[in-house]
Amino acid sequence: MSLTAQDVHRFEAARPRLEAIAYRLLGSASEAEDAVQETFLRWQAAETERIRVPEAWLTKVLTRLCLNQLASARARRETYVGAWLPEPLLAGDPMLGPADTAEQRDAVSYAVLVLLERLSPNERAVYVLREAFDYPHREIAAILDLSESASQQILHRAKEHVAAGRRRTPVDEAAARRVLDEFLAAATSGRTEPLVRLLTQDAVAVGDGGGKVPARAKAFEGALAVAKLVRGLFVPSRAKRAVVGGSPALYATTANGEPALLAVLDGRVIGVMCLEVTSEGIAAVRSQVNPDKLERVARQWAATDHGEPLLATTF
């Protein structure tokens, strides 16, 4: 069926919210875009004049598509080369969605997106729709074909899983930026001790290269192990320059609400290192270097004024 101009306008008005929901559900901007496009095709084929509440219909179709995607993604990630991390997004990206409340900001943080991977598809959907978009349980139940009480119970379980995974209180943006500066100074000092002092005792470090960029499959665990890894990353070497094709510059940025270092080589983004900064120290260092997961970041970076780098030459 052909859509009227009003039908197209309704969909385009809903697109930003749909993309934000899909990104939080899938942890991938490219997959989110695909899910929204498939939702548009379903909208195009529907008898739109019979749909009483288009926004609710679109949200339900999108969520069901994402749930199917999550089910198949679990199988694909079993064969994924190395560790799988979500696709980071820089501050200001509309796909991050609403950030009016602490719950909404927290629900799209890189740390929480990683934890959401541990949830079942239904748990993830209920958590995202309720915590990030403030959908009432009545509407969530209709979207997921559940009872309202089941939706409430699923949210309770999901919040428990997320809370258990975090265990610490995040710090405000200003404090996080100070820690980022201290982290970079410690990383370039050539010594492990300053880094150990910044890390929590059970800190972890993990990188996602997707089999295209070297990255250890198993996470580094413990402050000393993470400190040695980070120190090694910042030690100049000809081998590292050969791998990446030169000496990248480092910029301070914010990705998914967390302080991050962005590595740029000849105007091309080659990596994003996100720091999970808590009141007790840096709890995690997560690096996304898979080029397939940096395309949206690269486009956004190229379109913005990013100022001078913190470090002109990394290695």
Side-chain angles (χ1 to χ4, degrees):
M1 296 179 65
S2 60
L3 295 178
T4 66
Q6 184 180 26
D7 289 335
V8 174
H9 175 75
R10 281 177 171 173
F11 185 87
E12 291 304 321
R15 183 186 290 275
R17 177 177 54 83
L18 295 175
E19 287 188 343
I21 291 172
Y23 170 68
R24 292 174 190 243
L25 287 175
L26 300 173
S28 165
S30 58
E31 291 181 5
E33 290 171 345
D34 290 343
V36 172
Q37 183 58 28
E38 180 60 30
T39 302
F40 176 75
L41 295 177
R42 303 287 179 95
W43 175 246
Q44 191 175 38
E47 296 182 23
T48 54
E49 68 278 4
R50 296 191 177 185
I51 298 174
R52 295 177 55 191
V53 186
E55 292 76 11
W57 188 92
L58 291 169
T59 302
K60 181 168 185 174
V61 169
L62 174 81
T63 303
R64 302 304 300 183
L65 287 170
C66 288
L67 289 177
N68 292 338
Q69 182 79 355
L70 283 172
S72 62
R74 286 174 180 261
R76 291 200 313 275
R77 288 170 193 171
E78 289 179 1
T79 59
Y80 189 83
V81 179
W84 189 97
L85 289 175
E87 185 174 340
L89 297 180
L90 300 184
D93 192 315
M95 196 175 278
L96 289 171
D100 300 325
T101 68
E103 289 78 12
Q104 289 173 335
R105 292 189 293 272
D106 191 56
V108 79
S109 71
Y110 208 61
V112 168
L113 285 182
V114 170
L115 290 173
L116 291 184
E117 288 296 310
R118 304 179 184 181
L119 304 184
S120 70
N122 267 6
E123 286 174 338
R124 186 163 185 163
V126 172
Y127 184 90
V128 167
L129 292 173
R130 180 61 186 161
E131 294 296 291
F133 295 90
D134 202 28
Y135 277 79
H137 283 288
R138 171 178 46 81
E139 293 184 25
I140 296 173
I143 290 170
L144 299 177
D145 295 327
L146 302 167
S147 68
E148 195 168 339
S149 62
S151 176
Q152 293 169 339
Q153 291 169 4
I154 290 172
L155 176 65
H156 180 71
R157 289 200 305 270
K159 291 176 72 172
E160 283 188 333
H161 293 323
V162 171
R166 298 207 77 177
R167 300 189 304 277
R168 295 184 178 89
T169 305
V171 300
D172 62 45
E173 185 175 346
R177 175 53 198 269
R178 288 195 297 273
V179 172
L180 177 68
D181 292 338
E182 292 174 5
F183 174 82
L184 184 57
T188 55
S189 70
R191 299 164 53 228
T192 58
E193 293 83 0
L195 283 164
V196 170
R197 288 196 292 269
L198 289 174
L199 298 163
T200 62
Q201 286 303 305
D202 58 351
V204 298
V206 61
D208 179 349
K212 300 183 178 183
V213 175
R216 174 171 156 160
K218 187 177 179 180
F220 289 80
E221 299 180 353
L224 184 58
V226 173
K228 288 181 177 179
L229 166 70
V230 172
R231 182 196 62 186
L233 290 175
F234 286 83
V235 172
S237 83
R238 183 178 299 176
K240 292 174 192 170
R241 290 192 292 272
V243 168
V244 302
S247 297
L250 285 184
Y251 292 82
T253 188
T254 301
N256 295 77
E258 294 183 354
L261 292 171
L262 191 140
V264 180
L265 179 64
D266 298 329
R268 176 172 53 93
V269 176
I270 63 170
V272 180
M273 177 181 284
C274 298
L275 305 183
E276 184 183 348
V277 181
T278 74
S279 57
E280 295 179 26
I282 300 172
V285 179
R286 301 183 177 97
S287 300
Q288 183 55 261
V289 293
N290 182 345
D292 294 341
K293 296 183 180 182
L294 295 172
E295 292 180 359
R296 188 176 178 98
V297 164
R299 292 197 302 269
Q300 186 181 4
W301 182 255
T304 58
D305 179 14
H306 34 73
E308 295 298 318
L310 288 179
L311 189 63
T313 302
T314 309
F315 43 74

